[in-house]
């Protein structure tokens, strides 16, 4: 075999190895592309049955309850259409908050309660000073009030 | 002298002066003259960016001070993707035009690209732990960025394993061009699939969702990363030119390159 | 100005380890790259000098 041919073989083998590893990576990738399922998807039985999966959504406001041991918590994950109660024993991440995003990994029990082994906080891409966030929240509440009072006066006018 | 170099001479004569710099012997001194300017710009931009990021930009309303990792994380992640595209473009250029400099440029960019990819992954882990509650998850954004690191390392290893530099350039170009599909996957992963990683705060299609001082700190750091990458890649391509062309007449005239 | 004291600056609101761990390793990477380039240049100068 000439050195040229040898090198050609080396390149072919290299490219083949690369292709195989790429295929393996892509396969692993595909099974993780759906990183989490929303409560609506779980209700439609789109999530894997009887296996561990991730449940993602917002922590429903006012749903967080801590047990006496201080480590076990229960809360409700919602996507505003459907919601699923979650039970978890362990340390919650700093950004875990009611009304904020969450991704919980665990299994859905027969009683409809999702038992989580791991809870991750999913934050959004907004960055601002606390005072600015407060102002935004105040403006939102004022807007809501205005909409409500307008609806009321419209109903009164009828 | 080969006909290729004569061609560049003709281009220069026709007024396409910039094509002259596609030849290593013309590019070598130009790169050497430019490096100090880029170093100075990198230092100035980084100093301004860090000052804005740490002393002017306010605390974040949900992440507290942990968000300040963004001033390193996002510029590093941007550079990791951008440098890969530039590397692949040089590879393609070398493939089509068969110019010596193109392959050397691609080789010079790869280590810096790998470095920025590593920084993006490392700072991401240190940011993810206090905010998300985990160092690492196999979501689409994190996995595709890890694949980018493998692509850089594979590119460097492939080139190192082939003795003939021109052949190595061609093989590397093929790998770089195949791998370039990964870049849009990284960028759009947070839109195409549900991921733990949040969406983009800065994009071309809408106004940024960041406080102004935070944004400026981040953009200045991104500029600093650009200037640094240019300076380091130019320094490296000069070394590669000296290594590869030390036997050539023009390099011998320079006295072994220095 | 965000920080009342030097300690407050390094403490980073409790996230000091994560923030400085990021910037520290970032700086280390840059330093290593620059040193690696310097060493490569020195090696090259030696071999080129030997040949000439």
């Amino acid at each position: 075999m000439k050195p040229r041919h040898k090198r050609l073989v080396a390149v072919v083998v290299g490219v083949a190895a690369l292709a195989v590893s790429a295929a393996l990576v892509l396969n692993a990738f595909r099974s993780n592309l759906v990183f989490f399922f929303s409560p609506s998807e779980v209700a439609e039985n789109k999530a894997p049955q009887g296996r561990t999966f991730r449940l993602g959504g917002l922590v429903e406001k006012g749903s967080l309850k801590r047990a006496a041991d201080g480590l076990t918590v229960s809360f409700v994950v919602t996507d505003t259409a459907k919601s699923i109660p979650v039970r978890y024993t362990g340390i919650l991440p700093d950004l875990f908050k009611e009304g904020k995003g969450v991704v919980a990994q665990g299994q859905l029990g027969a009683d409809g309660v999702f038992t989580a082994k791991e809870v991750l906080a999913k934050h959004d891409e907004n960055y601002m000073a606390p005072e600015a966030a407060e102002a935004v929240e105040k403006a939102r509440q004022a807007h809501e009030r205005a909409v409500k009072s307008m609806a009321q006066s419209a109903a009164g006018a009828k | 002298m080969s006909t290729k170099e004569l061609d560049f001479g003709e281009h220069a004569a026709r007024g396409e002066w910039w094509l002259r710099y596609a030849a290593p012997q013309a590019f070598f001194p130009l790169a050497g003259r430019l490096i100090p300017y880029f170093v100075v710009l990198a230092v100035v931009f980084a100093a301004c960016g860090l000052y804005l990021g740490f002393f002017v930009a306010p605390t974040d309303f949900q992440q507290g001070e942990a968000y300040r990792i963004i001033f390193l994380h996002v510029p590093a992640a941007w550079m990791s993707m951008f440098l890969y595209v530039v590397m692949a473009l040089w590879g393609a250029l070398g493939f089509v035009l068969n110019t010596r400099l193109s392959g050397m440029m691609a080789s010079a960019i790869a280590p810096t690209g790998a470095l920025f990819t590593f920084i993006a992954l490392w700072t991401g882990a240190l940011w993810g732990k206090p905010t998300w509650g985990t160092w690492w998850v196999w979501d689409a954004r994190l996995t595709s960025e890890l694949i980018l690191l493998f692509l850089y390392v594979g590119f460097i290893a492939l080139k190192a394993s082939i003795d003939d530099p021109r052949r190595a350039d061609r093989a590397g170009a093929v790998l770089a061009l195949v791998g370039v599909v990964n870049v849009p996957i990284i960028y759009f992963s947070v839109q195409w699939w549900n991921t733990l990683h949040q969406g983009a705060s800065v994009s071309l299609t809408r106004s940024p969702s960041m406080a102004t001082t935070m944004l400026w700190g981040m953009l200045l750091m991104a500029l600093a990363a650009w200037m640094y990458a240019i300076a380091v890649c130019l320094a490296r391509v000069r070394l590669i030119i000296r290594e590869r062309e030390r036997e050539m007449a023009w390099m011998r005239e320079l006295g072994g390159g220095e | 100005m965000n920080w009342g004291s030097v300690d407050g600056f390094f403490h980073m609101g409790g996230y000091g380890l994560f923030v400085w761990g990021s910037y520290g390793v970032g700086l280390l990477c840059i330093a290593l790259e620059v040193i690696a380039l310097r060493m490569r240049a020195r090696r090259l100068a030696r071999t080129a000098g030997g040949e000439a």
Side-chain angles (χ1 to χ4, degrees):
Chain A
M1 214 153 75
K2 284 182 192 163
R4 258 186 66 201
H5 292 153
K6 229 183 240 172
R7 242 177 265 134
L8 188 68
V9 169
V11 169
V12 168
V13 169
V15 170
L18 193 76
V20 169
S21 57
L24 285 174
V25 164
L26 282 176
N27 191 37
F29 200 47
R30 201 186 47 189
S31 55
N32 270 298
L33 279 184
V34 181
F35 189 69
F36 58 81
F37 295 89
S38 69
S40 293
E41 284 169 330
V42 174
E44 290 162 25
N45 290 326
K46 277 187 185 156
Q49 309 280 319
R51 274 209 297 126
T52 297
F53 68 95
R54 291 194 191 85
L55 172 71
L58 297 173
V59 182
E60 199 167 272
K61 279 193 176 152
S63 73
L64 180 64
K65 286 185 190 72
R66 280 178 196 277
D69 64 359
L71 269 182
T72 303
V73 291
S74 68
F75 54 89
V76 175
V77 172
T78 178
D79 58 2
T80 64
K82 289 271 192 296
S83 36
I84 291 176
V86 176
R87 195 170 43 223
Y88 172 66
T89 305
I91 297 160
L92 291 168
D94 291 3
L95 289 194
F96 180 90
K97 258 195 204 114
E98 291 187 348
K100 296 285 179 190
V102 69
V103 176
Q105 188 173 25
Q107 270 178 318
L108 191 61
D111 56 351
V113 175
F114 188 87
T115 307
K117 284 200 201 81
E118 186 186 32
V119 171
L120 304 175
K122 178 173 164 56
H123 64 81
D124 57 33
E125 63 274 24
N126 297 307
Y127 302 91
M128 57 181 124
E131 305 85 56
E134 224 166 81
V136 168
E137 177 63 17
K138 266 193 192 137
R140 196 186 59 79
Q141 282 170 358
H143 177 75
E144 262 175 23
R145 272 200 302 276
V147 168
K148 216 180 269 173
S149 71
M150 268 171 73
Q152 273 166 357
S153 62
K158 264 187 196 164
Chain B
M1 210 182 229
S2 71
T3 49
K4 183 116 272 164
E5 264 64 70
L6 287 176
D7 281 343
F8 285 120
E10 274 169 33
H11 281 301
R14 287 211 308 267
E16 291 165 0
W17 57 271
W18 54 272
L19 274 175
R20 203 167 77 84
Y21 293 108
Q25 57 268 52
F27 185 77
F28 184 81
L30 175 74
R33 279 199 304 277
L34 289 176
I35 289 169
Y37 295 102
F38 288 110
V39 170
V40 169
L41 285 174
V43 171
V44 170
F45 284 136
C48 296
L50 287 173
Y51 176 75
L52 268 183
F54 279 95
F55 294 103
V56 180
T59 302
D60 181 59
F61 74 112
Q62 48 182 357
Q63 302 187 28
E65 310 300 349
Y67 95 94
R68 291 188 199 273
I69 296 172
I70 202 172
F71 302 114
L72 183 57
H73 177 77
V74 171
W78 280 348
M79 284 313 290
S80 72
M81 292 186 279
F82 182 73
L83 285 178
Y84 193 92
V85 173
V86 174
M87 185 180 91
L89 283 176
W90 277 113
L93 204 65
F95 215 86
V96 175
L97 301 178
N98 204 23
T99 44
R100 300 205 304 278
L101 184 63
S102 309
M104 301 188 207
M105 285 301 280
S107 292
I109 290 168
T112 304
L115 185 90
F116 276 113
T117 313
F118 171 76
I119 292 177
L121 289 168
W122 174 267
T123 56
L126 282 171
W127 193 2
K129 184 63 185 169
T131 54
W132 299 338
T134 181
W135 303 102
W136 178 264
V137 286
W138 292 97
D139 87 343
R141 170 56 74 79
L142 278 68
T143 309
S144 53
E145 182 74 9
L146 184 65
I147 291 173
L148 185 71
L149 183 62
F150 291 158
L151 281 170
Y152 275 123
V153 174
F155 178 87
I156 295 166
L158 179 68
K159 278 206 155 180
S161 68
I162 303 173
D163 289 333
D164 176 4
R166 301 303 296 274
R167 199 178 284 273
D169 284 348
R170 280 196 291 277
V174 172
L175 175 61
L177 283 170
V178 171
V180 92
V181 292
N182 188 41
V183 173
I185 291 180
I186 298 172
Y187 189 79
F188 291 109
S189 56
V190 289
Q191 293 174 29
W192 290 345
W193 304 292
N194 53 25
T195 54
L196 185 62
H197 197 286
Q198 65 278 13
S201 298
V202 180
S203 77
L204 293 175
T205 48
R206 57 183 181 78
S207 60
S209 58
M210 286 176 85
T212 317
T213 45
M214 297 176 181
L215 181 69
W216 275 105
M218 197 171 89
L219 293 179
L220 280 168
M221 285 296 279
L223 271 175
W226 269 55
M227 297 301 127
Y228 169 80
I230 294 172
V232 172
C233 291
L234 286 179
R236 192 178 287 112
V237 83
R238 269 170 64 91
L239 290 174
I240 294 171
I241 291 172
R242 280 166 67 188
E243 282 163 4
R244 281 205 202 169
E245 311 223 330
R246 72 178 96 174
E247 301 306 325
M248 293 199 178
W250 74 271
M251 188 57 86
R252 286 186 173 251
E253 277 164 28
L254 276 177
E258 218 30 72
Chain C
M1 192 63 96
N2 290 314
W3 321 99
S5 65
V6 178
D7 276 354
F9 181 66
F10 285 108
H11 189 246
M12 272 291 141
Y15 296 113
L17 190 69
F18 300 101
V19 174
W20 300 123
S22 294
Y23 284 90
V25 170
L27 198 67
L28 187 75
C29 284
I30 288 170
L32 285 177
E33 186 174 32
V34 172
I35 290 169
L37 277 175
R38 283 268 160 82
M39 279 168 65
R40 192 166 169 179
R42 203 167 298 160
R43 210 162 43 232
L44 191 68
R46 236 194 344 260
T47 53
E51 277 167 20

